[in-house]
Amino acid sequence: MYRLQKEGFDAYLVGGCVRDLLLGREPKDFDVVTNADPEQVRKVFRNCRLIGRRFRLAHVHFGREIIEVATFRGAGEAQNDKQVLNNEGRLLRDNVYGTIEEDVWRRDFTVNALYYNIKDFSVVDYVGGMADHKAGMLRLIGNPDMRFREDPVRMLRAVRFAVKLGFSIHPDCEKAIHNDAELLASIPSARLYDEALKLFLSGYALQTFEMLRHYGLFQVLFPATEKSLAIESNGFPRLLLIKALENSDNRIAEGKTVTAYFLLAAFLWEPVQIRAKQKIAKGAVEYLAYQEAASEVISRQIESTALPRHISMAMREVWNLQPKFNARFGSKPSRLITHPRFRAGYDFLVLRAETGGADPELAEWWAKYQVASETEQRKMTQPPRNPANKKPRRKRSYRKNVQDTVMEKES
Ligand code: ATP
Ligand code: MG
């Protein structure tokens, strides 16, 4: 920012970092905004790359860190060839440069439109963002319905910020979300996948899930999951997903990592079960029914949120491992434990056992098996003795026959 200033440009911190710093939180990243256009920014910094089509931005690299530097955008109403709306009023391209007074109107929430000026260390506020920040209120700048139409992803952002900051969503915005939730379906699935990850890998996945359902947004992201939640299994509501979200939040709180594919496997587990059982009822072979159900559920899901190939493959692996945990005897367990997804598969088994979908004794067996010594493992995988299966007698009579034959030859 000082470099930009030295070159005669204005530079401000804006968005989430100002909002979070005012709350005494460590910002996730820093967004810088300037009156220099992307080309000018590139000339100021050696390690700078220009990215983006919908919004043209400069990425300035400092070692491993990237600081996003955006140019002030022009006013929302000034439509010309550089700003493109589709017929639902959605902004497809937005590359009109402007002043800070214009830039502020294209930001989503008032608390995201606070500018920190390094020139005099002041916070510039054109939209009452400071007051809303104090009140813990998420309020869209301008007409909520219009702003959600321009970019329906703002509805997901409202939920994400409400949960993360503990803010409430202004009643006018709430009303607009209830009306406009369906508009989310028009967003490219790749962008919805990115947003879904931000929503569910944030450390507040359970609360986010509940709020998304409350506003009717969850069903747009995961339609099959929403449907499966309505169907009770043996009188029990579907607890596996809830438990998965809870575990994921706990892991993040403990500083552990969480993987997208594990959570997504949990999201779509019930839809796969339901689909597979329908096929089995119609006479399909169990193994094939599950394979087909998995393929169908995944191809349906990618109409809503994209799933990168390595993610959907990993999800399938976690699912495919589940029946394999039933084989406890012989050499199968020692082979299963070397499977690259064994740990995820086992964690998933535990999840199922905790929520009535698998025998808890089976999960305990695998817990023991993993930490057992080799000798203990061999003992654990020995099939139970069944007296009816004793074979030594047949062996002896076989040998006798062999002897007989030999003798016959000799004679
Ligand atoms: P965080 O980074 O903590 O998730 P953030 O508010 O910084 O939250 P970013 O996605 O980094 O979110 O965006 C930075 C700023 O850009 C926002 O604060 C907002 O002012 C503006 N912005 C981002 N996305 C949109 C959008 N879809 N519509 C309008 N303004 C947006
Ligand atoms: Mg940010």
Side-chain angles (χ1 to χ4, degrees):
M1 291 170 78
Y2 286 109
R3 182 101 58 96
L4 282 167
Q5 213 185 15
K6 222 177 89 197
E7 298 295 323
F9 299 110
D10 294 334
Y12 298 82
L13 282 179
V14 67
C17 58
V18 180
R19 179 197 70 210
D20 291 352
L21 285 169
L22 284 168
L23 287 170
R25 289 177 173 227
E26 192 185 335
K28 202 178 69 191
D29 47 33
F30 290 91
D31 297 303
V32 172
V33 71
T34 176
N35 59 353
D37 70 34
E39 283 300 334
Q40 290 171 317
V41 175
R42 180 153 64 178
K43 281 185 192 133
V44 175
F45 298 98
R46 244 182 316 139
N47 305 322
C48 174
R49 286 178 57 191
L50 301 190
I51 59 136
R53 199 182 108 82
R54 193 163 158 274
F55 300 132
R56 199 125 176 87
L57 296 169
H59 272 181
V60 182
H61 294 246
F62 291 100
R64 295 185 61 197
E65 288 224 48
I66 295 175
I67 308 287
E68 204 168 273
V69 181
T71 306
F72 291 137
R73 301 244 165 73
E77 306 86 55
Q79 280 178 42
N80 56 30
D81 62 329
K82 289 191 172 164
Q83 197 176 41
V84 183
L85 293 173
N86 76 353
N87 51 15
E88 280 166 342
R90 183 154 67 84
L91 262 176
L92 298 180
R93 203 163 342 122
D94 187 14
N95 271 330
V96 193
Y97 303 125
T99 61
I100 186 170
E101 287 91 348
E102 290 169 321
D103 184 89
V104 67
W105 300 108
R106 57 153 291 277
R107 307 219 158 248
D108 46 8
F109 301 96
T110 59
V111 295
N112 282 350
L114 297 168
Y115 296 77
Y116 177 72
N117 189 354
I118 51 158
K119 222 181 252 171
D120 56 4
F121 311 113
S122 64
V123 174
V124 182
D125 175 11
Y126 292 95
V127 288
M130 280 302 256
D132 284 338
H133 192 280
K134 272 202 193 90
M137 180 66 73
L138 287 163
R139 186 201 309 263
L140 272 173
I141 300 168
N143 175 290
D145 190 56
M146 208 182 91
R147 300 306 310 280
F148 284 144
R149 267 169 202 283
E150 265 177 16
D151 183 4
V153 167
R154 289 171 185 153
M155 294 186 274
L156 298 179
R157 291 172 59 86
V159 170
R160 183 155 67 84
F161 296 137
V163 171
K164 172 177 154 176
L165 308 170
F167 281 18
S168 47
I169 301 175
H170 190 276
D172 293 346
C173 294
E174 280 194 305
K175 220 166 81 190
I177 296 179
H178 283 298
N179 288 337
D180 297 337
E182 289 296 330
L183 292 179
L184 255 191
S186 66
I187 297 295
S189 62
R191 189 167 174 219
L192 285 189
Y193 174 73
D194 291 342
E195 288 300 321
L197 291 193
K198 282 189 209 162
L199 285 162
F200 290 110
L201 300 180
S202 60
Y204 311 94
L206 184 56
Q207 233 183 308
T208 301
F209 166 74
E210 280 163 0
M211 199 181 285
L212 286 174
R213 286 194 82 204
H214 170 76
Y215 288 116
L217 294 166
F218 184 76
Q219 56 167 350
V220 189
L221 292 177
F222 295 98
T225 310
E226 175 68 35
K227 246 190 232 155
S228 78
L229 289 165
I231 308 167
E232 292 191 346
S233 154
N234 306 325
F236 284 103
R238 311 269 167 184
L239 292 174
L240 181 125
L241 175 54
I242 309 273
K243 193 85 192 160
L245 294 167
E246 216 173 68
N247 288 353
S248 164
D249 289 346
N250 291 338
R251 284 184 67 95
I252 292 173
E254 291 164 15
K256 294 185 194 161
T257 55
V258 290
T259 55
Y261 73 82
F262 188 86
L263 214 48
L264 288 162
F267 272 111
L268 297 178
W269 174 250
E270 289 299 348
V272 171
Q273 298 299 302
I274 293 169
R275 199 95 193 87
K277 278 174 191 151
Q278 285 167 351
K279 287 174 184 290
I280 292 165
K282 281 188 206 153
V285 181
E286 188 169 348
Y287 167 73
L288 286 175
Y290 275 94
Q291 293 287 323
E292 280 176 26
S295 302
E296 285 171 23
V297 166
I298 285 175
S299 42
R300 273 289 184 78
Q301 179 57 38
I302 58 177
E303 290 171 17
S304 312
T305 67
L307 295 174
R309 187 125 182 91
H310 68 277
I311 295 286
S312 61
M313 296 262 279
M315 290 162 66
R316 292 184 74 128
E317 280 177 319
V318 169
W319 293 337
N320 288 344
L321 280 172
Q322 297 312 305
K324 299 201 171 134
F325 284 109
N326 292 325
R328 292 193 230 179
F329 303 123
S331 58
K332 281 185 178 168
S334 67
R335 259 181 284 143
L336 193 61
I337 206 167
T338 63
H339 191 286
R341 299 268 183 236
F342 172 84
R343 188 67 211 188
Y346 165 74
D347 287 342
F348 205 83
L349 172 70
V350 171
L351 202 58
R352 289 169 56 224
E354 283 171 349
T355 52
D359 187 353
E361 200 263 320
L362 181 66
E364 271 161 38
W365 188 92
W366 279 100
K368 245 206 249 153
Y369 181 79
Q370 287 174 70
V371 295
S373 69
E374 252 178 70
T375 338
E376 281 174 307
Q377 285 187 335
R378 232 171 290 135
K379 249 188 249 165
M380 287 176 79
T381 53
Q382 223 135 61
R385 290 250 169 88
N386 182 351
N389 281 349
K390 282 190 178 164
K391 291 177 185 171
R393 245 217 207 133
R394 252 175 77 204
K395 237 185 187 170
R396 209 186 294 148
S397 67
Y398 170 71
R399 223 183 256 153
K400 198 172 148 233
N401 287 342
V402 173
Q403 260 177 3
D404 289 346
T405 332
V406 175
M407 285 202 295
E408 267 167 28
K409 265 191 181 168
E410 275 174 357
S411 61

